[in-house]
Amino acid sequence: MADDWRERVWDLFDRAVELTEDQRKELLDRECHSDDTLRQEVESLLRYVSQEEKQDENFLKSPLVRSEQHEKSEPTRNLPDRIGRYRVRGLLGLRRDGQRL
């Protein structure tokens, strides 16, 4: 039963995610008319995707600029913990001892 419900949630989500707001409302009104929990779950997934898309739009809008001071500093010292929804684990192109390749 739980698996059927989960499949229904994902089916509705897959159908709704590509629609406009008005089309989504019509779809959810039609498909979830007697199941508020189902509707709430699908709407929650849709809100989450919308938030992720907004974060992706801001991801690295400005170019990376290297300063002379940055070149001399320890390369991993000033790394942020996260960039958008991505966790920073280290720099590419550096050896383990921090020297450039």
Side-chain angles (χ1 to χ4, degrees), residues 12-13 15-32 39 42-43 45-47 49-50 53:
L12 279 172
F13 170 78
R15 291 167 47 199
V17 74
E18 299 296 326
L19 301 175
T20 67
E21 286 296 320
D22 291 338
Q23 292 170 330
R24 284 179 184 175
K25 184 180 180 323
E26 288 176 22
L27 174 70
L28 295 178
D29 287 346
R30 185 175 59 250
E31 298 291 331
C32 303
R39 184 183 190 120
V42 173
E43 287 175 339
L45 291 170
L46 292 168
R47 279 191 303 275
V49 167
S50 176
E53 288 172 352

Side-chain angles (χ1 to χ4, degrees), residues 59-77:
F59 181 69
L60 293 181
K61 274 192 173 177
S62 63
L64 182 63
V65 177
R66 293 198 176 274
S67 68
E68 200 173 302
Q69 178 185 7
H70 183 268
E71 293 291 328
K72 295 177 183 176
S73 69
E74 185 179 323
T76 57
R77 180 179 296 162

